[in-house]
């Protein structure tokens, strides 16, 4: 997710500073969060138990201390962006796909029942399970109330985490989970599917029939909860997530994005073909698809379906959704790498990308905000700018483009 990184520890030169923040945190709990929790039906006993001994964890990322303003760092010591291909390191995706295939047989009956009820293929559910928690093996080292409380008090997105800490309190109040079981990731995500508390309340299901939705210990509940989440966000049964394709030079990479869809048959008529050489399935050719070029002309290209954007609801990243789709294909059909190669792109700082985005905004382009992250709006804006200025469109930031737009 696109968050601004502000490292608070560097700002706390004296222990008294941390103590003052702890006092402010305690006042905020009493005067602000408790009334909201009480209005949500949370008892004082539950509230006090949740925050007993809890202090703000100032080592967490994305925090803004009192009196500070969130900023994108001006100087950085490491390049934020290498090739997007590094996201698909074989060590990472291989562990998900081999682990997924092993569990596909072990949990075949459960996966079949989940797919029958929700319409989500088992391999997609397995890929998410593997990516999120290593099929339940990942350790959750943080106290959820410490993380969520800290972020609701100090994060760049306070309102989001305020909602989540209140949902976590409701979970405990209703007896859905014990206080001591509330362990999370650094972002406050829970259990094997890595749900935020509001997602647990909305999407967790009891699929093993024991009377409770247990995403910590129950594989059937975990798998069904993941599928239920995807259905809630619009998963279309019977459709694929997408196809790797070859995009001819005559098709502009600036046509990328979920708001520029057209019939897949229309994309094919423009010269876009599957890398396998096979035609698009008839059911897909009649439906809408979208161009995806996560590294612009310097990487593999795809025609994706609405289900790809449902996968993005799990983690708002093109690369995450592509990892899940590609991983699911490998679980179902065997290890196949992308046909297209990832070019030698990247090596820029996040501040470089933000500078480029601000320059494009000044020229009237919609880059989706100057957040320092090259999402599809930034990529296609780069392509449109390149075309306007008589250059071949690459649709991905590089040093010459940054310098040209300074």
């Amino acid at each position: 997710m696109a968050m601004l990184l502000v490292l608070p520890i560097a700002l706390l030169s004296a222990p008294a500073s941390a103590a003052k923040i702890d006092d402010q945190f305690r006042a905020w709990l009493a005067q602000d969060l408790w009334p909201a929790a009480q209005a949500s039906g949370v008892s004082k006993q539950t509230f006090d138990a949740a925050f007993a001994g809890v202090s703000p964890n100032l080592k967490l990322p994305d925090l803004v201390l009192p009196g500070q303003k969130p900023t994108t760092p001006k100087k950085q010591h490491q390049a934020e962006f290498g090739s997007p291909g590094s996201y698909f390191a074989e060590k990472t995706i291989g562990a998900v796909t081999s682990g997924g295939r092993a569990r596909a047989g072990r949990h075949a009956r459960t996966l079949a029942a989940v797919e029958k009820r929700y319409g989500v293929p088992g391999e997609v559910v397995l890929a998410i399970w593997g990516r999120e928690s290593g099929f339940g093996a990942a350790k959750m080292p943080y106290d959820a109330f410490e993380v969520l409380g800290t972020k609701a008090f100090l994060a760049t997105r306070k309102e989001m985490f305020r909602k989540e800490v209140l949902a976590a309190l409701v979970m405990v109040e209703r007896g859905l989970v014990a206080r001591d079981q509330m362990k999370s990731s650094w972002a406050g995500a829970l259990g094997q599917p890595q749900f935020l508390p509001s997602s647990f309340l909305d999407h967790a299901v009891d699929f093993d029939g024991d009377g409770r939705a247990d995403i910590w210990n129950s594989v059937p509940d975990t798998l069904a909860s993941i599928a239920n989440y995807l259905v809630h966000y619009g998963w279309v049964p019977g459709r694929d997530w997408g196809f790797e394709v070859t995009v001819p030079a005559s098709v502009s990479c600036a046509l990328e994005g979920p708001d520029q869809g057209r019939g897949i048959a229309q994309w094919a008529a423009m010269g876009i073909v599957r890398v396998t050489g096979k035609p698009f399935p008839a059911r897909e050719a009649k439906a809408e698809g979208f161009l995806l070029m996560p590294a612009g002309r310097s990487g593999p290209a795809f025609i994706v379906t609405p289900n790809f954007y449902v996968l993005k609801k799990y983690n708002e990243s093109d690369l995450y959704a592509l990892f899940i789709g590609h991983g699911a294909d490998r679980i179902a059909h065997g290890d196949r790498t992308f046909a297209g190669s990832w070019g030698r792109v990247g090596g820029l700082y996040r501040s470089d990308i933000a500078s480029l985005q601000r320059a494009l905004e000044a020229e009237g382009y919609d880059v989706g905000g100057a957040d320092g992250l090259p999402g599809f709006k930034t990529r296609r804006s780069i392509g449109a700018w390149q075309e306007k200025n008589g250059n071949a469109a690459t649709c991905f930031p590089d040093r010459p483009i940054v310098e040209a737009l300074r």
Side-chain angles (χ1 to χ4, degrees):
M1 62 181 65
M3 289 186 177
L4 301 176
L5 297 182
V6 178
L7 302 180
I9 284 298
L11 301 175
L12 297 175
S13 56
S17 297
K20 182 177 180 181
I21 290 174
D22 190 51
D23 289 343
Q24 292 174 329
F25 177 69
R26 284 286 149 193
W28 171 77
L29 286 177
Q31 298 167 19
D32 188 337
L33 194 64
W34 161 240
Q38 186 178 35
S40 298
V42 175
S43 69
K44 193 66 164 63
Q45 181 180 3
T46 295
F47 187 87
D48 289 345
F51 291 104
V54 172
S55 296
N57 184 343
L58 301 177
K59 294 181 181 180
L60 295 172
D62 311 316
L63 305 184
V64 182
L65 298 187
Q68 300 291 325
K69 294 182 179 180
T71 60
T72 301
K74 297 291 184 183
K75 296 181 180 179
Q76 297 162 313
H77 300 294
Q78 292 184 336
E80 289 277 339
F81 299 103
S83 168
S86 61
Y87 196 89
F88 302 91
E90 187 59 33
K91 181 179 180 180
T92 303
I93 197 165
V96 169
T97 55
S98 62
R101 283 195 295 271
R103 287 162 180 80
R106 191 181 310 162
H107 303 296
R109 182 175 297 181
T110 298
L111 289 164
V114 167
E115 184 166 355
K116 182 177 181 181
R117 179 177 298 185
Y118 298 102
V120 181
E123 59 267 22
V124 171
V125 175
L126 287 167
I128 292 174
W129 185 25
R131 177 66 184 178
E132 291 297 323
S133 67
F135 307 102
K139 302 300 182 184
M140 297 297 124
Y142 294 94
D143 179 273
F145 286 104
E146 177 186 86
V147 170
L148 295 170
T150 299
K151 287 180 173 285
F153 181 55
L154 292 173
T156 55
R157 298 195 292 177
K158 292 181 182 179
E159 287 307 310
M160 170 192 157
F161 286 104
R162 179 185 177 85
K163 171 187 173 184
E164 297 304 335
V165 73
L166 289 171
L169 288 164
V170 169
M171 288 172 61
V172 176
E173 178 66 30
R174 293 180 183 175
L176 303 175
V177 58
R179 166 64 181 91
D180 61 7
Q181 200 173 2
M182 291 293 283
K183 300 296 183 181
S184 75
S185 70
W186 66 266
L190 308 169
Q192 297 190 44
Q194 283 293 271
F195 278 174
L196 287 171
S198 64
S199 292
F200 177 90
L201 292 175
D202 290 342
H203 310 303
V205 295
D206 170 23
F207 204 71
D208 60 13
D210 69 351
R212 61 189 295 263
D214 183 359
I215 62 171
W216 294 269
N217 305 296
S218 170
V219 170
D221 291 4
T222 294
L223 299 178
S225 296
I226 292 170
N228 190 42
Y229 182 101
L230 297 178
V231 168
H232 173 85
Y233 284 105
W235 184 271
V236 182
R239 292 207 69 182
D240 210 315
W241 68 270
F243 308 89
E244 188 181 356
V245 297
T246 299
V247 180
S250 58
V251 177
S252 172
C253 52
L255 293 175
E256 183 183 5
D259 53 352
Q260 299 193 95
R262 60 188 70 195
I264 291 180
Q266 291 177 273
W267 290 115
M270 296 167 66
I272 292 178
V273 297
R274 294 177 66 186
V275 296
T276 61
K278 298 178 181 179
F280 293 100
R283 69 181 184 280
E284 296 287 2
K286 298 175 182 178
E288 187 176 34
F290 312 90
L291 181 63
L292 173 74
M293 301 181 75
R297 288 284 179 184
S298 297
F302 306 86
I303 293 295
V304 298
T305 77
N307 283 344
F308 176 85
Y309 294 101
V310 173
L311 294 176
K312 279 190 69 173
K313 292 294 185 179
Y314 219 100
N315 182 318
E316 196 61 33
S317 161
D318 288 335
L319 296 181
Y320 175 88
L322 184 57
F323 184 102
I324 298 303
H326 182 56
D329 286 349
R330 288 178 53 154
I331 290 170
H333 306 297
D335 290 341
R336 300 182 303 186
T337 59
F338 295 122
S341 59
W342 299 95
R344 297 183 65 183
V345 293
L348 295 173
Y349 297 136
R350 181 167 173 169
S351 52
D352 292 327
I353 307 295
S355 173
L356 179 152
Q357 289 168 323
R358 287 191 291 269
L360 287 170
E361 283 182 328
E363 295 195 22
Y365 293 94
D366 177 10
V367 298
D371 60 1
L373 300 170
F376 75 88
K377 288 186 176 181
T378 295
R379 297 194 296 265
R380 71 187 187 190
S381 293
I382 290 170
W385 179 87
Q386 289 170 318
E387 291 170 348
K388 180 181 177 181
N389 287 274
N391 301 313
T394 63
C395 294
F396 204 75
D398 59 26
R399 180 63 60 185
I401 296 169
V402 171
E403 295 300 330
L405 280 163
R406 283 194 188 280

